[in-house]
Amino acid sequence: MRELEAQVAQLLGRLRDLEARLAQDSTTSSQPPSKDKPWVPKSERQKTGRSSGAQRGHVGKTLKMAEHVDEVVSLPLTGYCACGHAWESVSAQGHVARQVMDLPELRLQVTEYRADVKVCPGCRHRQHASFPDDVPGRVQYGSRVHGLAVSLNAAHFIPLERTTEILEALCGAHPSEGTIVLNLQLAADRLIDFETQLKAALLNQPVLHADETGSKVNGKLQWMHVVSCAQLTLDGQHSQRGFAALEAMNVLPQFKGILMHDAWSTSFKLSAKHALCGAHLLRELRGLAEHHAQVWAGELRDALRLVYHQQKDGTITPDLVIAFEQQFDALLDAGLKANPPAPPVPGRRGRTKQTPGRNLALRCQQHREAVLRFLHDEGVPFDNNQAERDIRPWCVKRKVSGGFRSKEGGQHFARIRSDISTLHKQGLNVWHGLVSVFRSEIIMPSFCC
């Protein structure tokens, strides 16, 4: 009889878990918003009461006439006035101007380098003048073509074949897919020094953000990892998700500051101080409250949102922090009481699977300092949105052009993306930065952030 009751309880628990899983969306789990139903609300933000769109006092932007023009087309007035007078005989008293801003017709600009050839009158040795370093072959594309190819593929995630089509449509160049791959490899090789300085700069940051996502290589699942802050981004491609990938990137194992992450178990193996993402916690609490009828989770979510907005608005006080922490501990105790330990399953070895509510309450108790670090350490944000924003381009890349053909291709792409993201964060021109890579005059970002 007891075995039968245990089996029924197990099946009921499994049924509840399956129903809750089917009801999950981006507001109650880590599921991406792209899988949500279109009517599901997307944001945790509180309503301000303001209307949507531009607010009062917003300075609008519109296309303005240029002060300096490249070409003037005069339009003489011809024909006859209504009274019969010929306009050709009347002098113009002024003009009305309209401007058209368009791209000029693009074509490749061919530069031919002619090196003098001379023969020594003494020993008859034949010698020619040296060519520039970026002119290694008899015929080659220039730095702008290479930079544009890399920009289209690495910055805008356009597949190789379509990149060649765009280049041909724009300027008549039609490099092969292999040439573009070689461009990516050359750019990655020349950015090795950039990556070395970037890693050293990240180690000196007080707070870093980390996240990871899947990335396909030859159809097999691999992983893309990101370590970043407001001014710097380091991307890395690796075959593993775990600690081996972090060791290969060679930043987080040596980092001694505060690491913001989403409670991934491997991150807790690091010696850094930990801060856990509040946005992930809010989604989990919402899922427990809505799909598992966990009252304590809904109350904790409301309390956490309130104290976050108080801190954000600058109205938080030490007394409010103490009161919240007491409420935090009391609600976690309530969560553990509402989710008692699951009894061992007869005949099954190992740890017994616990309910999502118990697992979450235990995690918050075990990592209480990391969950509440945003209240006590200045400069520690409430969420891990920095890493989420930095990893989003890889999700776009995965959807637009798929994965990589080789492990090396993914690693080269990651290094170039690190440069692109860092330049963009610091307000530097990404286009000029990519072109500079092929001129051996690489534009370096600031590493003293």
Side-chain angles (χ1 to χ4, degrees), residues 56-85:
R56 186 180 299 274
H58 171 73
V59 179
K61 293 183 178 180
T62 186
L63 192 62
K64 298 181 179 179
M65 298 188 73
E67 296 182 4
H68 304 285
V69 298
D70 300 298
E71 180 182 5
V72 176
V73 178
S74 297
L75 302 176
L77 180 59
T78 59
Y80 296 88
C81 180
C83 66
H85 198 91

PDB file of all heavy atoms in Angstrom, residues 56-85:
ATOM      1  N   ARG A  56       7.367  64.652 -23.835  1.00  0.00           N
ATOM      2  CA  ARG A  56       7.383  66.103 -23.984  1.00  0.00           C
ATOM      3  C   ARG A  56       8.808  66.627 -23.791  1.00  0.00           C
ATOM      4  O   ARG A  56       9.504  66.261 -22.854  1.00  0.00           O
ATOM      5  CB  ARG A  56       6.450  66.740 -22.972  1.00  0.00           C
ATOM      6  CG  ARG A  56       6.280  68.254 -23.152  1.00  0.00           C
ATOM      7  CD  ARG A  56       5.331  68.808 -22.088  1.00  0.00           C
ATOM      8  NE  ARG A  56       4.008  68.200 -22.206  1.00  0.00           N
ATOM      9  CZ  ARG A  56       3.068  68.640 -23.009  1.00  0.00           C
ATOM     10  NH1 ARG A  56       3.298  69.680 -23.799  1.00  0.00           N
ATOM     11  NH2 ARG A  56       1.881  68.038 -23.049  1.00  0.00           N
ATOM     12  N   GLY A  57       9.249  67.483 -24.692  1.00  0.00           N
ATOM     13  CA  GLY A  57      10.594  68.036 -24.619  1.00  0.00           C
ATOM     14  C   GLY A  57      11.619  67.251 -25.421  1.00  0.00           C
ATOM     15  O   GLY A  57      12.771  67.674 -25.529  1.00  0.00           O
ATOM     16  N   HIS A  58      11.208  66.102 -25.988  1.00  0.00           N
ATOM     17  CA  HIS A  58      12.132  65.296 -26.787  1.00  0.00           C
ATOM     18  C   HIS A  58      12.479  66.031 -28.077  1.00  0.00           C
ATOM     19  O   HIS A  58      11.610  66.538 -28.780  1.00  0.00           O
ATOM     20  CB  HIS A  58      11.493  63.950 -27.116  1.00  0.00           C
ATOM     21  CG  HIS A  58      12.279  63.135 -28.107  1.00  0.00           C
ATOM     22  ND1 HIS A  58      13.454  62.512 -27.782  1.00  0.00           N
ATOM     23  CD2 HIS A  58      12.048  62.860 -29.414  1.00  0.00           C
ATOM     24  CE1 HIS A  58      13.917  61.882 -28.844  1.00  0.00           C
ATOM     25  NE2 HIS A  58      13.076  62.076 -29.851  1.00  0.00           N
ATOM     26  N   VAL A  59      13.772  66.117 -28.373  1.00  0.00           N
ATOM     27  CA  VAL A  59      14.237  66.787 -29.584  1.00  0.00           C
ATOM     28  C   VAL A  59      14.197  65.789 -30.735  1.00  0.00           C
ATOM     29  O   VAL A  59      14.922  64.789 -30.735  1.00  0.00           O
ATOM     30  CB  VAL A  59      15.665  67.329 -29.396  1.00  0.00           C
ATOM     31  CG1 VAL A  59      16.138  68.014 -30.674  1.00  0.00           C
ATOM     32  CG2 VAL A  59      15.710  68.289 -28.214  1.00  0.00           C
ATOM     33  N   GLY A  60      13.338  66.033 -31.689  1.00  0.00           N
ATOM     34  CA  GLY A  60      13.198  65.119 -32.807  1.00  0.00           C
ATOM     35  C   GLY A  60      14.339  65.256 -33.809  1.00  0.00           C
ATOM     36  O   GLY A  60      15.128  66.214 -33.767  1.00  0.00           O
ATOM     37  N   LYS A  61      14.422  64.299 -34.696  1.00  0.00           N
ATOM     38  CA  LYS A  61      15.443  64.315 -35.742  1.00  0.00           C
ATOM     39  C   LYS A  61      14.775  64.169 -37.093  1.00  0.00           C
ATOM     40  O   LYS A  61      13.844  63.386 -37.251  1.00  0.00           O
ATOM     41  CB  LYS A  61      16.443  63.166 -35.534  1.00  0.00           C
ATOM     42  CG  LYS A  61      17.303  63.309 -34.276  1.00  0.00           C
ATOM     43  CD  LYS A  61      18.321  62.179 -34.184  1.00  0.00           C
ATOM     44  CE  LYS A  61      19.205  62.345 -32.951  1.00  0.00           C
ATOM     45  NZ  LYS A  61      20.199  61.246 -32.852  1.00  0.00           N
ATOM     46  N   THR A  62      15.274  64.926 -38.052  1.00  0.00           N
ATOM     47  CA  THR A  62      14.761  64.826 -39.411  1.00  0.00           C
ATOM     48  C   THR A  62      15.893  65.098 -40.375  1.00  0.00           C
ATOM     49  O   THR A  62      16.947  65.632 -39.988  1.00  0.00           O
ATOM     50  CB  THR A  62      13.611  65.825 -39.640  1.00  0.00           C
ATOM     51  OG1 THR A  62      13.049  65.604 -40.933  1.00  0.00           O
ATOM     52  CG2 THR A  62      14.119  67.267 -39.546  1.00  0.00           C
ATOM     53  N   LEU A  63      15.718  64.735 -41.614  1.00  0.00           N
ATOM     54  CA  LEU A  63      16.743  64.961 -42.623  1.00  0.00           C
ATOM     55  C   LEU A  63      16.830  66.450 -42.937  1.00  0.00           C
ATOM     56  O   LEU A  63      15.827  67.082 -43.277  1.00  0.00           O
ATOM     57  CB  LEU A  63      16.395  64.168 -43.887  1.00  0.00           C
ATOM     58  CG  LEU A  63      17.484  64.060 -44.957  1.00  0.00           C
ATOM     59  CD1 LEU A  63      18.702  63.345 -44.412  1.00  0.00           C
ATOM     60  CD2 LEU A  63      16.941  63.317 -46.172  1.00  0.00           C
ATOM     61  N   LYS A  64      18.043  66.999 -42.791  1.00  0.00           N
ATOM     62  CA  LYS A  64      18.246  68.430 -43.012  1.00  0.00           C
ATOM     63  C   LYS A  64      19.087  68.663 -44.255  1.00  0.00           C
ATOM     64  O   LYS A  64      19.881  67.815 -44.650  1.00  0.00           O
ATOM     65  CB  LYS A  64      18.927  69.053 -41.789  1.00  0.00           C
ATOM     66  CG  LYS A  64      18.109  68.958 -40.511  1.00  0.00           C
ATOM     67  CD  LYS A  64      18.842  69.610 -39.351  1.00  0.00           C
ATOM     68  CE  LYS A  64      18.010  69.528 -38.079  1.00  0.00           C
ATOM     69  NZ  LYS A  64      18.708  70.145 -36.912  1.00  0.00           N
ATOM     70  N   MET A  65      18.900  69.839 -44.841  1.00  0.00           N
ATOM     71  CA  MET A  65      19.664  70.199 -46.031  1.00  0.00           C
ATOM     72  C   MET A  65      21.126  70.424 -45.671  1.00  0.00           C
ATOM     73  O   MET A  65      21.454  70.976 -44.618  1.00  0.00           O
ATOM     74  CB  MET A  65      19.090  71.448 -46.693  1.00  0.00           C
ATOM     75  CG  MET A  65      17.662  71.263 -47.187  1.00  0.00           C
ATOM     76  SD  MET A  65      17.062  72.658 -48.168  1.00  0.00           S
ATOM     77  CE  MET A  65      17.984  72.414 -49.694  1.00  0.00           C
ATOM     78  N   ALA A  66      22.008  69.954 -46.543  1.00  0.00           N
ATOM     79  CA  ALA A  66      23.441  70.093 -46.320  1.00  0.00           C
ATOM     80  C   ALA A  66      23.907  71.491 -46.712  1.00  0.00           C
ATOM     81  O   ALA A  66      23.383  72.107 -47.649  1.00  0.00           O
ATOM     82  CB  ALA A  66      24.194  69.047 -47.129  1.00  0.00           C
ATOM     83  N   GLU A  67      24.901  72.002 -45.964  1.00  0.00           N
ATOM     84  CA  GLU A  67      25.459  73.324 -46.284  1.00  0.00           C
ATOM     85  C   GLU A  67      26.346  73.264 -47.524  1.00  0.00           C
ATOM     86  O   GLU A  67      26.390  74.211 -48.311  1.00  0.00           O
ATOM     87  CB  GLU A  67      26.255  73.843 -45.093  1.00  0.00           C
ATOM     88  CG  GLU A  67      25.417  74.098 -43.844  1.00  0.00           C
ATOM     89  CD  GLU A  67      26.244  74.661 -42.710  1.00  0.00           C
ATOM     90  OE1 GLU A  67      27.456  74.921 -42.941  1.00  0.00           O
ATOM     91  OE2 GLU A  67      25.704  74.836 -41.609  1.00  0.00           O
ATOM     92  N   HIS A  68      27.068  72.157 -47.676  1.00  0.00           N
ATOM     93  CA  HIS A  68      27.989  72.024 -48.808  1.00  0.00           C
ATOM     94  C   HIS A  68      27.475  70.909 -49.723  1.00  0.00           C
ATOM     95  O   HIS A  68      27.243  69.790 -49.269  1.00  0.00           O
ATOM     96  CB  HIS A  68      29.397  71.701 -48.316  1.00  0.00           C
ATOM     97  CG  HIS A  68      29.930  72.705 -47.332  1.00  0.00           C
ATOM     98  ND1 HIS A  68      30.363  73.959 -47.701  1.00  0.00           N
ATOM     99  CD2 HIS A  68      30.064  72.634 -45.975  1.00  0.00           C
ATOM    100  CE1 HIS A  68      30.762  74.624 -46.624  1.00  0.00           C
ATOM    101  NE2 HIS A  68      30.587  73.847 -45.570  1.00  0.00           N
ATOM    102  N   VAL A  69      27.320  71.224 -50.991  1.00  0.00           N
ATOM    103  CA  VAL A  69      26.809  70.253 -51.955  1.00  0.00           C
ATOM    104  C   VAL A  69      27.919  69.873 -52.918  1.00  0.00           C
ATOM    105  O   VAL A  69      28.869  70.628 -53.152  1.00  0.00           O
ATOM    106  CB  VAL A  69      25.599  70.822 -52.721  1.00  0.00           C
ATOM    107  CG1 VAL A  69      24.464  71.117 -51.766  1.00  0.00           C
ATOM    108  CG2 VAL A  69      25.984  72.076 -53.508  1.00  0.00           C
ATOM    109  N   ASP A  70      27.815  68.675 -53.485  1.00  0.00           N
ATOM    110  CA  ASP A  70      28.830  68.186 -54.420  1.00  0.00           C
ATOM    111  C   ASP A  70      28.494  68.521 -55.869  1.00  0.00           C
ATOM    112  O   ASP A  70      29.383  68.619 -56.711  1.00  0.00           O
ATOM    113  CB  ASP A  70      28.962  66.658 -54.270  1.00  0.00           C
ATOM    114  CG  ASP A  70      29.376  66.259 -52.863  1.00  0.00           C
ATOM    115  OD1 ASP A  70      30.472  66.645 -52.436  1.00  0.00           O
ATOM    116  OD2 ASP A  70      28.600  65.562 -52.179  1.00  0.00           O
ATOM    117  N   GLU A  71      27.239  68.680 -56.166  1.00  0.00           N
ATOM    118  CA  GLU A  71      26.841  68.965 -57.538  1.00  0.00           C
ATOM    119  C   GLU A  71      25.586  69.829 -57.532  1.00  0.00           C
ATOM    120  O   GLU A  71      24.692  69.611 -56.706  1.00  0.00           O
ATOM    121  CB  GLU A  71      26.567  67.658 -58.294  1.00  0.00           C
ATOM    122  CG  GLU A  71      26.152  67.858 -59.741  1.00  0.00           C
ATOM    123  CD  GLU A  71      25.830  66.542 -60.443  1.00  0.00           C
ATOM    124  OE1 GLU A  71      25.848  65.497 -59.763  1.00  0.00           O
ATOM    125  OE2 GLU A  71      25.531  66.587 -61.656  1.00  0.00           O
ATOM    126  N   VAL A  72      25.547  70.815 -58.406  1.00  0.00           N
ATOM    127  CA  VAL A  72      24.388  71.697 -58.536  1.00  0.00           C
ATOM    128  C   VAL A  72      23.805  71.517 -59.937  1.00  0.00           C
ATOM    129  O   VAL A  72      24.517  71.620 -60.936  1.00  0.00           O
ATOM    130  CB  VAL A  72      24.765  73.174 -58.308  1.00  0.00           C
ATOM    131  CG1 VAL A  72      23.553  74.066 -58.553  1.00  0.00           C
ATOM    132  CG2 VAL A  72      25.302  73.378 -56.894  1.00  0.00           C
ATOM    133  N   VAL A  73      22.535  71.206 -59.997  1.00  0.00           N
ATOM    134  CA  VAL A  73      21.827  71.065 -61.275  1.00  0.00           C
ATOM    135  C   VAL A  73      20.847  72.234 -61.388  1.00  0.00           C
ATOM    136  O   VAL A  73      19.905  72.355 -60.597  1.00  0.00           O
ATOM    137  CB  VAL A  73      21.068  69.723 -61.350  1.00  0.00           C
ATOM    138  CG1 VAL A  73      20.299  69.637 -62.666  1.00  0.00           C
ATOM    139  CG2 VAL A  73      22.035  68.562 -61.211  1.00  0.00           C
ATOM    140  N   SER A  74      21.118  73.129 -62.342  1.00  0.00           N
ATOM    141  CA  SER A  74      20.265  74.297 -62.537  1.00  0.00           C
ATOM    142  C   SER A  74      19.057  73.923 -63.394  1.00  0.00           C
ATOM    143  O   SER A  74      19.185  73.219 -64.406  1.00  0.00           O
ATOM    144  CB  SER A  74      21.050  75.421 -63.225  1.00  0.00           C
ATOM    145  OG  SER A  74      22.128  75.838 -62.388  1.00  0.00           O
ATOM    146  N   LEU A  75      17.908  74.383 -62.971  1.00  0.00           N
ATOM    147  CA  LEU A  75      16.661  74.103 -63.691  1.00  0.00           C
ATOM    148  C   LEU A  75      16.082  75.432 -64.188  1.00  0.00           C
ATOM    149  O   LEU A  75      15.398  76.144 -63.445  1.00  0.00           O
ATOM    150  CB  LEU A  75      15.661  73.393 -62.765  1.00  0.00           C
ATOM    151  CG  LEU A  75      16.149  72.074 -62.152  1.00  0.00           C
ATOM    152  CD1 LEU A  75      15.101  71.533 -61.170  1.00  0.00           C
ATOM    153  CD2 LEU A  75      16.421  71.044 -63.246  1.00  0.00           C
ATOM    154  N   PRO A  76      16.364  75.817 -65.439  1.00  0.00           N
ATOM    155  CA  PRO A  76      15.839  77.089 -65.963  1.00  0.00           C
ATOM    156  C   PRO A  76      14.336  77.013 -66.199  1.00  0.00           C
ATOM    157  O   PRO A  76      13.791  75.954 -66.533  1.00  0.00           O
ATOM    158  CB  PRO A  76      16.595  77.253 -67.290  1.00  0.00           C
ATOM    159  CG  PRO A  76      16.933  75.852 -67.699  1.00  0.00           C
ATOM    160  CD  PRO A  76      17.188  75.095 -66.427  1.00  0.00           C
ATOM    161  N   LEU A  77      13.692  78.129 -65.973  1.00  0.00           N
ATOM    162  CA  LEU A  77      12.258  78.208 -66.214  1.00  0.00           C
ATOM    163  C   LEU A  77      12.026  78.556 -67.680  1.00  0.00           C
ATOM    164  O   LEU A  77      12.515  79.579 -68.178  1.00  0.00           O
ATOM    165  CB  LEU A  77      11.636  79.278 -65.312  1.00  0.00           C
ATOM    166  CG  LEU A  77      10.122  79.476 -65.448  1.00  0.00           C
ATOM    167  CD1 LEU A  77       9.371  78.188 -65.133  1.00  0.00           C
ATOM    168  CD2 LEU A  77       9.660  80.612 -64.539  1.00  0.00           C
ATOM    169  N   THR A  78      11.308  77.716 -68.372  1.00  0.00           N
ATOM    170  CA  THR A  78      11.046  77.920 -69.804  1.00  0.00           C
ATOM    171  C   THR A  78       9.547  77.957 -70.049  1.00  0.00           C
ATOM    172  O   THR A  78       8.737  77.751 -69.143  1.00  0.00           O
ATOM    173  CB  THR A  78      11.682  76.790 -70.626  1.00  0.00           C
ATOM    174  OG1 THR A  78      11.129  75.538 -70.198  1.00  0.00           O
ATOM    175  CG2 THR A  78      13.193  76.743 -70.444  1.00  0.00           C
ATOM    176  N   GLY A  79       9.210  78.250 -71.283  1.00  0.00           N
ATOM    177  CA  GLY A  79       7.802  78.287 -71.650  1.00  0.00           C
ATOM    178  C   GLY A  79       7.245  79.689 -71.569  1.00  0.00           C
ATOM    179  O   GLY A  79       7.977  80.691 -71.690  1.00  0.00           O
ATOM    180  N   TYR A  80       5.957  79.802 -71.298  1.00  0.00           N
ATOM    181  CA  TYR A  80       5.288  81.097 -71.335  1.00  0.00           C
ATOM    182  C   TYR A  80       4.449  81.272 -70.080  1.00  0.00           C
ATOM    183  O   TYR A  80       3.905  80.314 -69.521  1.00  0.00           O
ATOM    184  CB  TYR A  80       4.393  81.223 -72.573  1.00  0.00           C
ATOM    185  CG  TYR A  80       5.169  81.175 -73.867  1.00  0.00           C
ATOM    186  CD1 TYR A  80       5.451  79.954 -74.486  1.00  0.00           C
ATOM    187  CD2 TYR A  80       5.602  82.353 -74.468  1.00  0.00           C
ATOM    188  CE1 TYR A  80       6.162  79.901 -75.669  1.00  0.00           C
ATOM    189  CE2 TYR A  80       6.322  82.310 -75.661  1.00  0.00           C
ATOM    190  CZ  TYR A  80       6.596  81.097 -76.259  1.00  0.00           C
ATOM    191  OH  TYR A  80       7.302  81.059 -77.426  1.00  0.00           O
ATOM    192  N   CYS A  81       4.350  82.528 -69.678  1.00  0.00           N
ATOM    193  CA  CYS A  81       3.476  82.883 -68.566  1.00  0.00           C
ATOM    194  C   CYS A  81       2.019  82.788 -69.040  1.00  0.00           C
ATOM    195  O   CYS A  81       1.732  82.724 -70.238  1.00  0.00           O
ATOM    196  CB  CYS A  81       3.800  84.287 -68.074  1.00  0.00           C
ATOM    197  SG  CYS A  81       2.760  84.842 -66.684  1.00  0.00           S
ATOM    198  N   ALA A  82       1.098  82.839 -68.117  1.00  0.00           N
ATOM    199  CA  ALA A  82      -0.325  82.761 -68.483  1.00  0.00           C
ATOM    200  C   ALA A  82      -0.748  83.935 -69.348  1.00  0.00           C
ATOM    201  O   ALA A  82      -1.703  83.836 -70.138  1.00  0.00           O
ATOM    202  CB  ALA A  82      -1.181  82.715 -67.217  1.00  0.00           C
ATOM    203  N   CYS A  83       0.016  85.052 -69.192  1.00  0.00           N
ATOM    204  CA  CYS A  83      -0.324  86.222 -70.006  1.00  0.00           C
ATOM    205  C   CYS A  83       0.275  86.144 -71.399  1.00  0.00           C
ATOM    206  O   CYS A  83       0.055  87.028 -72.242  1.00  0.00           O
ATOM    207  CB  CYS A  83       0.126  87.503 -69.322  1.00  0.00           C
ATOM    208  SG  CYS A  83       1.930  87.668 -69.180  1.00  0.00           S
ATOM    209  N   GLY A  84       1.122  85.134 -71.652  1.00  0.00           N
ATOM    210  CA  GLY A  84       1.712  84.963 -72.961  1.00  0.00           C
ATOM    211  C   GLY A  84       3.151  85.408 -73.051  1.00  0.00           C
ATOM    212  O   GLY A  84       3.779  85.250 -74.103  1.00  0.00           O
ATOM    213  N   HIS A  85       3.740  85.960 -71.971  1.00  0.00           N
ATOM    214  CA  HIS A  85       5.119  86.432 -72.010  1.00  0.00           C
ATOM    215  C   HIS A  85       6.068  85.235 -71.892  1.00  0.00           C
ATOM    216  O   HIS A  85       5.868  84.329 -71.101  1.00  0.00           O
ATOM    217  CB  HIS A  85       5.367  87.410 -70.860  1.00  0.00           C
ATOM    218  CG  HIS A  85       6.584  88.265 -71.056  1.00  0.00           C
ATOM    219  ND1 HIS A  85       6.531  89.496 -71.670  1.00  0.00           N
ATOM    220  CD2 HIS A  85       7.876  88.040 -70.733  1.00  0.00           C
ATOM    221  CE1 HIS A  85       7.745  90.006 -71.703  1.00  0.00           C
ATOM    222  NE2 HIS A  85       8.578  89.131 -71.138  1.00  0.00           N
TER     223      HIS A  85
END
